[in-house]
Amino acid sequence: MSEKTKQKITDWITVLLVLVLAFTAGAAFMWQYTLHNYTIAAASEDEFTPQVAETAETPEEFLTVEEMITTEAEAAGIDERLALAIARLETGHFTSDAYLAGNNVGGLSDNEVPRTYLTVEDGVEAYIECLKTYYAAGLTTPELIGERWCPANEKWVDVVKDIMQEVTL
């Protein structure tokens, strides 16, 4: 076999391998994209069904995410209205992807990447722990918290205050 023929065969094999790799990568992307959309769609179907504590043994023990937040905030000595207002704002009233797919009830993030939690209870616990650090530093009002929580958004404090007025406990 001539060198020219061997080179053509090698070139065709290379092209085929590249096509197989491209197809595999595309299929993997589509599978991940479909899975993500399915997860979001499934979560969206339950959008108006409050998430409840997984540890509840009877229906009377079920808590909505808002009840979990206010209960934990009260136990930690945090203004329940403030905790709930921030959570509502940061999750778009519990409709954000971070909340629906990652149980992130407070909009907590690392380098602008939302944190994810295994359960809503884990998300509530992390959120309240975060607020406790603010309270421990003397940051107990929307104005004081907003300076560190969301300094880039001038309206954050006003929105939190407006939501606090809507909160009924």
Side-chain angles (χ1 to χ4, degrees), residues 66-163:
E66 291 191 349
E67 291 169 332
M68 284 187 262
I69 290 169
T70 56
T71 300
E72 293 297 319
E74 181 180 25
I78 295 169
D79 180 345
E80 304 101 298
R81 284 183 163 76
L82 176 59
L84 193 52
I86 293 171
R88 285 180 179 176
L89 171 60
E90 295 296 338
T91 63
H93 293 269
F94 305 102
T95 62
S96 70
D97 286 347
Y99 171 69
L100 295 173
N103 298 311
N104 186 333
V105 302
L108 303 177
S109 64
D110 295 310
N111 298 319
E112 303 296 320
V113 176
R115 296 179 187 171
T116 59
Y117 302 95
L118 292 177
T119 66
V120 174
E121 291 89 346
D122 292 342
V124 170
E125 183 180 325
Y127 172 58
I128 296 301
E129 285 299 317
C130 180
L131 286 178
K132 283 169 64 174
T133 64
Y134 279 75
Y135 265 62
L139 308 175
T140 59
T141 65
E143 294 83 2
L144 295 173
I145 291 173
E147 290 175 11
R148 285 187 42 202
W149 190 285
C150 193
N153 185 345
E154 298 171 0
K155 297 181 181 182
W156 188 90
V157 170
D158 293 331
V159 175
V160 168
K161 289 169 126 182
D162 289 345
I163 296 173

Side-chain angles (χ1 to χ4, degrees), residues 25-45:
F29 172 79
M30 290 306 296
W31 177 81
Q32 196 168 28
Y33 177 78
T34 302
L35 180 63
H36 173 74
N37 283 344
Y38 174 77
T39 302
I40 297 303
S44 297
E45 289 173 8

